[in-house]
Amino acid sequence: MTSLQLISLRKIFEPDNPAVRGLDLEVCSGELMVLLGPSGCGKTSTLRMIAGLTQPTSGDILFDGKSILSMPPEKRDAIMVFQDDALFPFLSIGDNVSFGLKQRKGKTAAQHKKLALEALAAVDLKGFENRRPHELSGGQRQRVALARALVLRPRMLLLDEPFGHLDRSLRQELRSMFRNLQEQAGITTIFVTHDQQEAVQLADRIAVMMEGKLQQVGKPNTFYEHPKNPAVARFFGSSNLVPGIKTGDKVKTDFGTVTIAKSSVSDGPVWLVIRIESIETGQNGNNSFSGLVESRRFQGERIRYRLGLNGISLDWLTSPFVQLEPGATIEFNLPADRLTVLEK
Ligand code: ATP
């Protein structure tokens, strides 16, 4: 069921450089939609329009089929969480979490306290209720910010790079904690980030935005398997884009002719999209080539090689058991069913 609908949403701060250029997006009830894109593409402006903090230049925002544009922020029941936790420094952690509840009528002080303690327990901060924000680490403060948002059970949760300033392992931990809590609570959520990995780990669906426009919306794997255009493929950094000329199931490139699986893209100039994990060692298929190992980088549990073939460079991400020295020659295969083409 659709919960939130953005209809031709636009925001123009400067006429020659609109921040948001006609966004159409539907977010389902309880869904976690990640709005992903490079810095300055209009993600925060979009969130602020949904929250009611920025007025759109044109377009509409519907919640459960009704426009919320004329509602003030406090009536929209959309809670925003920012990178900066923005806790009240002189209030205890417990009071920070129950602060929003106290603004709402209908519950007693004892009920507020109980809900706040439950929310703190849910983010693994049982026993921290009497501390002040400065007595907590950055990661713990951000967990308080999450508890403070979730305790209100809003109908929409809007998060703007909430874990952006934390270190890598803490980000991982908070992401999975947040994902579980969001799923349990079933709150329709938009999570803004510029980090592809974060998007892929969190999202039910991802909406990729560039220069104020939506480029592609889909499940996380779609962006690897079927990027809609070269800009999306490049942004994910997970594919090599090689220029070529397509004729039927063949693509002629500078390093040779490659056989591809069936494609609906017309014959003519194309980008051949080779996923960086899809390259296989050995000459065991139709698309066998030989290249030179130009460089090697260790990336955690994987190794990233750069292969050179007749002036074309291909990135290849592989297991640490494939040990090759720069300068070595390698025979490899490009499985046709893992190749795609995009119109050029
Ligand atoms: P980041 O990831 O860096 O936060 P973003 O994708 O969230 O970027 P926005 O903050 O929405 O991008 O900004 C989009 C564009 O709108 C930018 O060019 C920015 O300079 C401009 N912009 C945002 N807010 C205002 C404002 N209040 N007045 C003028 N221009 C603004």
Side-chain angles (χ1 to χ4, degrees), residues 11-14 17-20 37-48 54 160-161 192-194 209:
K11 180 66 197 178
I12 303 177
F13 294 107
E14 292 163 356
N17 185 24
V20 180
S39 178
C41 72
K43 306 179 297 291
T44 300
S45 303
T46 304
L47 270 202
R48 289 178 60 87
T54 298
D160 195 356
E161 310 244 7
V192 158
T193 183
H194 63 268
M209 203 173 165

Side-chain angles (χ1 to χ4, degrees), residues 39-76:
S39 178
C41 72
K43 306 179 297 291
T44 300
S45 303
T46 304
L47 270 202
R48 289 178 60 87
M49 287 191 275
I50 300 168
L53 305 174
T54 298
Q55 200 56 30
T57 306
S58 62
D60 207 349
I61 302 171
L62 310 188
F63 203 94
D64 289 344
K66 292 197 191 97
S67 176
I68 57 169
L69 273 194
S70 59
M71 284 185 186
E74 65 277 10
K75 288 268 187 295
R76 295 191 184 192

